[in-house]
Amino acid sequence: MTEPLTRTRGESGRVTGSSRRTRRGWSSLLYLVPAFVFYGTFTIAPWVQSVWLSFWEWDGIGAATWAGFENYIKVATDERLVVALRNGLGFIVFYTVFPVILGLLVAAVIAARPRRGSGFVRTVLFLPQILPLVAVGVVWRYLYAADGPINQVLRAVGLGDVARAWLGDFTWAYPAVGVIGTWVTTGLCMMLLLAGIQKIDPSLYEAARLDRCGPVRQFWHVTVPGVRAEIVVAVTVTLISALASFDIVYVTTGGGPGYQTIVPGVLIYKLVFTSNEVGLACALATVLSAIILVFVAVIGRIGRRGA
Amino acid sequence: MQRRTRLVLAPLAAGALLGLALTACTPGATTTGAGAAPDASTELTTDDITLTLMSTPESGAATEATIAAFETEHPNITIEYSQTNYEDYNQSVNLNLSSDQSPDIVLLNAVANTVKNKLVLPLDDYADLYGWNDFFPANQLNQWRVADNGTTLGDGGALYAAPAGFSLVGTYYNKAIAAELGIDAPTSLTEFEAALKTANAAGALPVQVGNAEGHAAFVVQLLGQGASGADTANAWAFGHAGATFDTEANHDAAQTLADWQTAGYLGDPTTVNGTDLQGAVDNFIGGKGLFLVDGIWDAGKIGEGLGDDAGFLPFPGENITGIGTSVAYAISTQSEHPNEAAAFLDFLRSPEASEQQFAQGFMPDDPTVAVAEEGTLQGDIVAAWAEIAEADGLVAFNNNATATMNDALKAGTQQLIAGQMSVGDFIASIQADWAAAHAG
């Protein structure tokens, strides 16, 4: 959207003389230095270091030995690591797909007919976003427990046969943990999309109504295209939290039962702190960040093509 | 567009270079050799000195009182105590030991890679000077004897830590439920299984198991070593060359657990896998379960909850065995006062220190202070400890056989209980983890 503006400014700059432009460019760069020093020291340098460490076999304390690509071969062949990557990718359904759909629906309903109480609904839905994820995990572990509230409700309504220790069930533990992710990220998606919807020109809805579009068609033809940019942002942010998930899984199941809910984040942590395989952990982390970068790049491209 | 790309790339490249410059060398410090450490001696300095000691709240429960008693005896020595919770402690102990501000005395929960990296001192000179080898039964010190490779434990290795007290895993039982069902305390596996059958038929849960953290592994280990004997079990737990988990005893043990599951002795498998140890203890106190296999670290809670109805037995088997380890302290290689630190380690077996350990629920170094009324839970524990010591039946935790064994046992027993894995695959997965760490 800002493309044309920048281009005009660039062209006028060229007319007035390039030397002044360059000087202005350099001095403006100076303002970036403090932020960049921080970013370089605390983000880029550690990242480069972990990539570097991924080529070593190191226990975290003693001398390391050069491993070449051995750690990467292990990442591609070790069954546990592959399962973790697959589980992380599967979480995209719970962290991204469901929340964006749910968030979009709720936002559309709230925006279409603001009524008393919608502010309350908004606050309640956004609440999970401001809670520390460890606290969220502890609360849900209690909710899912064999004698926890969820099972008590099920028994009370005569569904006692369905009641189970959800996090200990080989079939249900994974979706149970996924639902927590949905619960956490739906509020964020709703807020983002609501802001987008409120930006849409009301005359578009009016025009749609004049064309005899019902609420459903208004939603598809006005709302959804209108919040395209916000959807891209929501998908990007939640996708990263799906692939890099750690806290919720670590607190609720620790990856169990068996390896049903193991995700790369938990495995990286265990590789470093339990089995002292720092090199292998860094290799897995590098692969994970590469996957995330590819996803983000693809989503960005899809988003731009539509704009 | 092009210009903008360059602007973004330049700092990125600079950052990458900066990162490389910071890191472009072999990771890991070459271990700094200990400074000129004084020869081992029982003669202590008369200067005022301060030692630092790091522990965890559970293991260090008695240590603060022990420090006070030690300081009274040695007024010129001050010991500064600090503690961190168990998980954080294990993750940071090696970093602390290798830092510039290493504590003098540290709690050692596992040998892990601490000894391999020469972070703690060998204590054999002190063991000779103070006579620890005569004081402690051999199997109480073997857990902290480490061979030159830094991973194989047991007889013949150098000693790296001194025990302050011991924990023990055995069988709790609910005397009220047992009396109601007419069950006597079982002394053999046959009687034990008969009791499980009786309880199940009467509608009582035979065994309370919480396996969310993998504690069913205790049952497998106790069944296995009860059949094979403590020596075979220890050889594997200690990582001895040629040892294997793939034995008939362990096959039978895992099969028995699976059979108990099928027979309904453990309850619903999902509930078992979804309940953690503390949850299981709470259930047991609430009257759910005739038996509970757990460590004496929960004796206080269970004794308080069940009162006179709480009983404790060594796990029944052909051989009387128990799983146990010591709360043990080691001396940092960087300590400037190893002689004084060793004097404190020696003080841990004194009657004063032993009484403190016993009061906190551990079995003390000095068994003569462990006196409890017969028929009480503590009395049962003291009797079980004596019985196991008599039979030389103390075995180290299988969970500590490798750094990752706890995770392997947790995942394996969860799969076994849920019927997701065959007994053969379970045994193979455990042995594979062991072989990866103890190869050669």
Side-chain angles (χ1 to χ4, degrees):
Chain A
M1 233 191 270
T2 51
E3 254 333 87
L5 271 179
T6 358
R7 206 174 293 142
T8 331
R9 209 181 289 150
E11 259 142 30
S12 71
R14 203 170 291 154
V15 174
T16 47
S18 61
S19 65
R20 216 173 85 196
R21 262 205 80 260
T22 322
R23 219 182 306 132
R24 203 175 58 194
W26 278 110
S27 63
S28 63
L29 268 186
L30 267 181
Y31 291 100
L32 293 178
V33 168
F36 180 70
V37 166
F38 259 86
Y39 187 68
T41 315
F42 295 110
T43 305
I44 298 179
W47 185 73
V48 171
Q49 185 177 21
S50 88
V51 172
W52 176 246
L53 286 176
S54 70
F55 295 104
W56 295 83
E57 194 189 321
W58 186 38
D59 69 357
I61 297 285
T65 49
W66 181 254
F69 282 93
E70 243 170 74
N71 290 326
Y72 287 93
I73 294 170
K74 261 192 213 165
V75 169
T77 53
D78 187 321
E79 200 190 334
R80 211 166 35 126
L81 307 189
V82 174
V83 168
L85 282 171
R86 212 171 48 208
N87 281 345
L89 289 172
F91 269 157
I92 292 174
V93 173
F94 291 99
Y95 277 71
T96 306
V97 178
F98 290 168
V100 169
I101 294 173
L102 282 173
L104 193 55
L105 289 175
V106 174
V109 169
I110 292 181
R113 290 203 185 155
R115 55 189 106 189
R116 259 196 319 172
S118 63
F120 176 75
V121 171
R122 222 162 46 195
T123 311
V124 167
L125 280 173
F126 193 68
L127 209 57
Q129 200 62 37
I130 60 166
L131 294 174
L133 287 179
V134 173
V136 169
V138 171
V139 169
W140 278 87
R141 198 173 58 188
Y142 161 72
L143 292 176
Y144 278 138
D147 295 322
I150 290 178
N151 286 325
Q152 283 171 12
V153 169
L154 285 173
R155 288 192 189 105
V157 299
L159 287 170
D161 290 348
V162 187
R164 65 194 68 222
W166 297 92
L167 297 172
D169 191 294
F170 270 74
T171 311
W172 288 101
Y174 185 78
V177 173
V179 164
I180 306 177
T182 308
W183 183 77
V184 170
T185 46
T186 299
L188 176 76
C189 293
M190 181 210 57
M191 286 300 263
L192 271 170
L193 298 169
L194 190 60
I197 290 173
Q198 281 162 348
K199 241 177 33 199
I200 297 175
D201 190 341
S203 63
L204 290 176
Y205 285 104
E206 209 177 293
R209 270 197 297 273
L210 287 174
D211 286 341
R212 298 209 190 124
C213 287
V216 175
R217 291 181 72 184
Q218 283 178 39
F219 176 77
W220 276 115
H221 295 295
V222 181
T223 309
V224 173
V227 294
R228 198 183 176 102
E230 283 77 13
I231 292 179
V232 169
V233 173
V235 168
T236 309
V237 172
T238 55
L239 201 99
I240 293 171
S241 60
L243 290 169
S245 57
F246 168 77
D247 323 49
I248 292 175
V249 176
Y250 184 76
V251 174
T252 51
T253 64
Y259 296 106
Q260 294 301 102
T261 59
I262 194 87
V263 288
V266 173
L267 206 48
I268 290 166
Y269 177 86
K270 285 189 173 178
L271 285 171
V272 172
F273 290 110
T274 308
S275 50
N276 302 313
E277 293 175 89
V278 178
L280 183 57
C282 288
L284 181 59
T286 304
V287 169
L288 183 65
S289 54
I291 291 175
I292 291 176
L293 280 175
V294 168
F295 268 94
V296 170
V298 168
I299 293 164
R301 174 148 296 196
I302 293 172
R304 264 202 305 280
R305 200 189 304 151
Chain B
M1 195 65 195
Q2 221 177 3
R3 199 183 308 116
R4 221 188 296 151
T5 317
R6 215 185 315 137
L7 279 183
V8 174
L9 281 184
L12 262 179
L17 277 177
L18 175 81
L20 268 179
L22 285 172
T23 59
C25 49
T26 312
T30 41
T31 319
T32 46
D39 288 337
S41 162
T42 54
E43 267 178 46
L44 308 183
T45 179
T46 49
D47 300 342
D48 284 341
I49 62 158
T50 301
L51 300 173
T52 48
L53 181 148
M54 274 184 54
S55 189
T56 64
E58 301 80 21
S59 298
T63 307
E64 282 191 274
T66 305
I67 288 172
F70 180 78
E71 286 174 343
T72 316
E73 217 167 279
H74 304 275
N76 62 319
I77 302 176
T78 309
I79 299 182
E80 277 176 13
Y81 176 85
S82 66
Q83 61 182 28
T84 326
N85 75 59
Y86 183 80
E87 291 232 330
D88 293 341
Y89 183 88
N90 287 339
Q91 284 154 18
S92 61
V93 62
N94 282 344
L95 293 172
N96 278 317
L97 281 168
S98 59
S99 78
D100 300 342
Q101 281 136 22
S102 166
D104 295 284
I105 303 167
V106 294
L107 173 75
L108 214 55
N109 283 320
V111 168
N113 56 357
T114 312
V115 170
K116 195 188 272 177
N117 287 308
K118 297 189 169 53
L119 298 176
V120 291
L121 286 178
L123 301 175
D124 289 293
D125 290 348
Y126 295 111
D128 291 342
L129 286 170
Y130 286 113
W132 295 345
N133 293 314
D134 300 326
F135 181 85
F136 292 103
N139 70 357
Q140 291 184 358
L141 291 183
N142 280 347
Q143 299 188 345
W144 303 110
R145 291 193 180 281
V146 188
D148 289 340
N149 64 11
T151 49
T152 308
L153 310 182
D155 202 13
L159 184 70
Y160 282 92
F166 297 85
S167 60
L168 174 71
V169 175
T171 318
Y172 290 93
Y173 69 107
N174 187 323
K175 288 179 180 171
I177 299 177
E180 203 176 303
L181 301 173
I183 294 168
D184 291 328
T187 54
S188 71
L189 190 57
T190 320
E191 281 178 31
F192 186 76
E193 291 203 278
L196 300 185
K197 201 173 175 188
T198 311
N200 196 42
L205 179 67
V207 192
Q208 174 63 242
V209 184
N211 199 36
E213 301 150 322
H215 286 93
F218 288 166
V219 180
V220 176
Q221 178 172 359
L222 286 163
L223 281 165
Q225 69 194 31
S228 72
D231 291 346
T232 313
N234 262 326
W236 186 82
F238 286 164
H240 287 185
T244 177
F245 198 71
D246 193 355
T247 62
E248 205 188 324
N250 285 333
H251 266 276
D252 290 350
Q255 187 62 55
T256 302
L257 182 72
D259 290 347
W260 287 357
Q261 179 58 64
T262 319
Y265 294 171
L266 314 179
D268 169 49
T270 295
T271 308
V272 170
N273 280 336
T275 307
D276 60 14
L277 183 66
Q278 284 318 303
V281 170
D282 291 338
N283 290 343
F284 182 70
I285 290 171
K288 277 190 233 160
L290 172 60
F291 295 106
L292 169 76
V293 176
D294 190 13
I296 58 173
W297 53 79
D298 281 323
K301 190 174 173 183
I302 292 171
E304 209 170 285
L306 283 180
D308 293 343
D309 292 339
F312 188 86
L313 296 166
F315 191 85
E318 232 171 280
N319 302 280
I320 296 297
T321 65
I323 310 171
T325 189
S326 49
V327 171
Y329 287 94
I331 302 175
S332 168
T333 314
Q334 296 190 57
S335 173
E336 284 172 19
H337 306 289
N339 286 335
E340 289 70 24
F344 179 74
L345 298 196
D346 184 56
F347 189 76
L348 292 171
R349 66 189 174 106
S350 66
E352 297 97 310
S354 293
E355 270 166 28
Q356 295 293 343
Q357 288 289 337
F358 189 56
Q360 293 296 335
F362 294 97
M363 294 310 298
D365 287 5
D366 183 347
T368 57
V369 308
V371 185
E373 225 175 294
E374 215 175 296
T376 63
L377 179 60
Q378 208 175 26
D380 281 359
I381 291 172
V382 170
W385 176 252
E387 203 181 334
I388 290 163
E390 174 84 5
D392 232 353
L394 192 67
V395 181
F397 283 84
N398 279 352
N399 309 57
N400 289 339
T402 71
T404 48
M405 188 54 76
N406 196 45
D407 285 341
L409 283 168
K410 175 184 157 210
T413 51
Q414 286 174 346
Q415 287 167 313
L416 191 65
I417 283 178
Q420 301 275 332
M421 197 187 229
S422 70
V423 167
D425 287 348
F426 168 73
I427 302 281
S429 75
I430 301 305
Q431 180 57 23
D433 186 282
W434 186 92
H438 298 293

